[in-house]
Amino acid sequence: MRIAEDMLAEEIRQLGSITEVPPPAVTRIVFSEHDMRAREFLRERCEAAGLAMRYDAVGNGFARWEGTEPALAAVATGSHTDAIPNAGAYDGVVGVLGGLEAIRALQRAGFQPLRAIELILFTSEEPTRFGLGCLGSRLLAGTLEPARADSLRDTSGVSLAEWRARRGYAGDLASVRLLPGHYEAFIELHIEQGPVLERDEIDLGIVEKIAAPASFRLDLEGEGGHAGAVLMRDRHDAALAGAEIALAVERAALESGSDDTVGTTGVFRIEPGAINSVPAKAQLEIDLRDTRLETRERARSAIEAAVAEITARRGIRSRWEVINSDPPAQSGMQIVVAAEEAASALGFTHRRMTSRAYHDCLFMAGVCPVAMIFIPCRNGWSHRPDEYSPPAAIAAGVRTLAETLRSLTVG
């Protein structure tokens, strides 16, 4: 099976040039003009390959290669093309353009699938505009209530409902949901976003489980005052309470009983933010992830207990808000084995892996069995302009994806 490696590399370069900032940095916020141009770029190439393209009410795109048995559940692949500010050209894009090239390679080889193959372009995998990632796949899986989704607002106060109307994605968001079994399988090709494959000189990673996040927002309110006039014994410093809580997040992750538990206080804002003023307010946003729900919840309970103790001791008022709390996913073993057999048949080294970053694949696990194929990326770098995966590594992933799709669509 032949992969058009040079053409695929050029398509990745062209898509990377559709950006709000100078390349190689890529910024494509969902529903922006550049996001819409990227969607059109993909649509044109799908139609050139003979794939009919349709969109649902939130803008998820579906390019279908019909099988000889249309009544059978299709097999799906795909990813996203939206990008956080100053990101790179490969995150998500390898799974979309690589998925398209896998289909084209099968077509060039004269293969005709029994089951249809659908290439999915997911809307808003990144949380940049609305503060919640994987919007499209959450709605497909039914894990996000349509009314809540439509009421999400960006920093300018514009709602998802308004953005959908602006971009021509009409209809009730409830219509986006797919029933379990809608697809026979879903497999996502992706850069690893970590250093393991490159460091260990392994061609491919076959993902057997995907960690999932629970995200929280914590508002703290103490008492402000002049930095010189308020004595230390009289202070109710919201920033110091927040600092203790951030350390408690680290401690809870380390003591959860699972090496896969990670906790991050990635947002820490204080008010009024003046060098000579005691911080009166603090806002923390906490990301807690694990491949095991029980150990993640153990860490969460430890954090909540620490918040209660710290705020009581320091005389701080607090408000705890759950942003999202998603269960981890296990890959479908049939798909994992199919991908391993494909990699072995093609002569690629591979190992089973855990995805500690989450992807649309996590939510597609609520629709059908899923798995992922990872390819190496330079130094494990991602979400930065120098993100890079060599053409040969991408081609290896695409060939393995194509052979896996062939295997999954013949019966």
Side-chain angles (χ1 to χ4, degrees), residues 130 149-152 158-166 169 173:
F130 299 108
D150 254 344
S151 67
L152 293 170
V158 182
S159 71
L160 173 61
E162 293 173 272
W163 272 113
R164 291 198 300 120
R166 289 181 185 182
Y169 300 126
L173 280 186

Side-chain angles (χ1 to χ4, degrees), residues 17-18 29 51-52 74 77 86 94-95 101 107 129 140 164 196 205 247 270 303 325 347 353 355 358 394:
S17 71
I18 304 174
I29 309 303
L51 309 182
T77 189
N86 292 300
V94 164
E101 176 56 19
Q107 290 174 334
R129 184 177 293 282
L140 286 171
R164 291 198 300 120
V196 173
L247 290 172
I270 61 171
I303 294 168
S325 185
M353 300 184 70
S355 175
Y358 75 98
I394 296 171

Side-chain angles (χ1 to χ4, degrees), residues 143-190:
T143 63
L144 178 62
E145 287 296 322
R148 184 194 169 204
D150 254 344
S151 67
L152 293 170
R153 295 182 181 276
D154 62 17
T155 55
S156 299
V158 182
S159 71
L160 173 61
E162 293 173 272
W163 272 113
R164 291 198 300 120
R166 289 181 185 182
R167 297 310 186 199
Y169 300 126
D172 187 345
L173 280 186
S175 67
V176 173
R177 183 175 184 180
L178 302 178
L179 295 177
H182 179 87
Y183 289 117
E184 176 72 8
F186 174 79
I187 182 163
E188 182 172 1
L189 177 65
H190 209 281

Side-chain angles (χ1 to χ4, degrees), residues 216-220 238 241-243 245-246 265 267-269 282-286:
F216 315 100
R217 184 176 294 115
L218 180 63
D219 290 300
L220 303 173
I245 290 166
T265 305
V267 173
F268 196 145
R269 304 184 183 97
Q283 184 181 78
L284 284 66
E285 292 184 6
I286 299 165

Side-chain angles (χ1 to χ4, degrees), residues 81-118:
T81 58
D82 64 313
I84 66 170
N86 292 300
Y90 296 84
D91 176 18
V93 168
V94 164
V96 176
L97 290 178
L100 174 59
E101 176 56 19
I103 291 172
R104 293 185 303 212
L106 289 168
Q107 290 174 334
R108 286 193 294 266
F111 175 70
Q112 180 61 55
L114 189 68
R115 297 178 183 273
I117 299 176
E118 283 201 344

